[in-house]
Amino acid sequence: MRRFLKYLKPYTLRCILAPLFKMLEATFELLTPLVIAHLVDVGIEGSNRDSIILSAVLLFVLAAIGMAAAITAQYFSARVAMDFGREVRGALFRHIESLSYSNIDSIGTSTLITRMTSDVNQMQTGVNMILRLLLRSPFIVFGATIMAFRVNARVAMYFIYVLIALFIVVGAIVLASVPLVRKTQERLDSVTLHTRENIIGVRVIRAFNRTDEESEEFRLSAKMLMKMQLLVGRISSFLNPVTLVIVNTGIACIIYNGGLMTNAGVMQKGEVIALYNYMSYILVELIKFVNFIITVSKMFASAKRVANIMDTQPDILFESDDKGTDSNVSDKEKSEMAGSGHSISFDNVSLTYPGAKEAAVKGVSFTAREGEIIGIIGSTGSGKSSLVSLIPRFYEATEGTIFIDGKNIKDYSKKDIRDKVSVTPQHATLFSGTVADNIRMGRTDIDDDDIEIALSQSQSKAFIDEKEGRTEFVVAAGGRNLSGGQKQRLSIARTLAKDSPIIIFDDSTSALDFSTEKELRKAVGSIKKDKIIFFVSQRAGTIQAADRIIVMESGSVAGIGTHDELLKTNEVYQEIYKSQVDAGEVAS
């Protein structure tokens, strides 16, 4: 938790004011029993009307000031907690954004979501509780004991006995519940993962009639979480009855001995009432303090889990955006340095995913130059997507070197490499917002004319013209209010609007019909002059017009050439093409 203190530093004043006002409230609360004792002993017993009125006014003033102090403390603590949560969540999000695909794959999306939401919320709650109760509860407990000794030292000895017994009980409950709380948080990860997988894969689950089985698995996972939460709840539930027994025993001793001493004239009735109130304060505050300890334990467990994510270092390191000279050199100058326009060269490149036994890409070498459309084809799992994911450095090549414009890809800053490359991924991803927002993706250099050109090139214009508001049509999260083909075309429009020198279409036309795909290929072909364009597909028809086709098989290059050359010389390509012709899946 210490590493997160820096996020509280900007709010130091509030962090000081919140517990100070809580202490002020507690001070007035401790004075209240003394005023009540005076009211009983002097006002009521002595039939002193002025004393009764004065005591009543004083009680009202103490209550009003205490309430004002409490509200002020709650305000400061809540503001600090919310600001702290915002800062931590922002820092965590920025760190997650810096992680590579490999990092995210190994950690798991559900884990990251839990850290960002549940764990940060728990830390936020813990900070709020610390500011409100860390000083107040001990102050009330020990303050009440001291005030009790001030009233009557002999009877106040029962406070010592009660405190010793209560600390033993509270300590035992805390020691038993805190480890279980941590395990419960871990079990929550499992339930979150299961929930996320079911929501994302709901169509597949229904298609394969797995609804009942998945529901049963979720029920078992949730039941395990429930059992652990119930166990924590049962242990914690001992707190109230045990503390009530101890405190009420103490109260009984106070009243009994106080009554005897009152009859003997050693004590007054108001003093007995004051001691009773102080013992009640201890009961309430200790219950609060145990809940506080459990909450803070959850906070520390959550903080450790969040810290583990923030300690995860990206396994792909980029040159600083401010360090290299690349950012200060124009695209034209870079092209001249490369010798013949934009180029991409793979030199014996291999990629092995973390934990995998075999390489996904093995010893690939080729060069693509400006003005070329490169088709990449192969069966499922042949390494097509893995190959193109190396170009924008989504993954790091484990062997070999990749050059862009004659420069090692590792010598580019993240901004420079991502500015050079545009990717349309396999799965079209749209965000809640307008069509224009989805195409711009925050880029201010894309104007309305650029959007219209991109819509036309991606074959999206026809269906966008039918939408109310056209480019101001609001897309639901994930593009739920669009068909699969429409989502793919808008994703392609986003890529084309960026106008990067390297464009990658990673099997991003699978939902398009042959006619629409043909028009898209024509539009893309018309802009290839100063670009390098990659088409990744399992359809031979999609890539057969490419300037060169790379045939992938089991992660290796099985052949490179034009459509006609490969049909004559490459058995893998021949087999793919023949199977698709026979199935009627090839249309030129």
Side-chain angles (χ1 to χ4, degrees), residues 127 388 477:
V127 168
V388 294

Side-chain angles (χ1 to χ4, degrees), residues 518-532:
K518 181 179 179 181
E519 294 302 316
L520 173 65
R521 293 201 307 269
K522 285 183 180 178
V524 171
S526 68
I527 64 170
K528 75 172 187 174
K529 182 179 178 182
D530 58 347
K531 302 182 186 301
I532 303 172

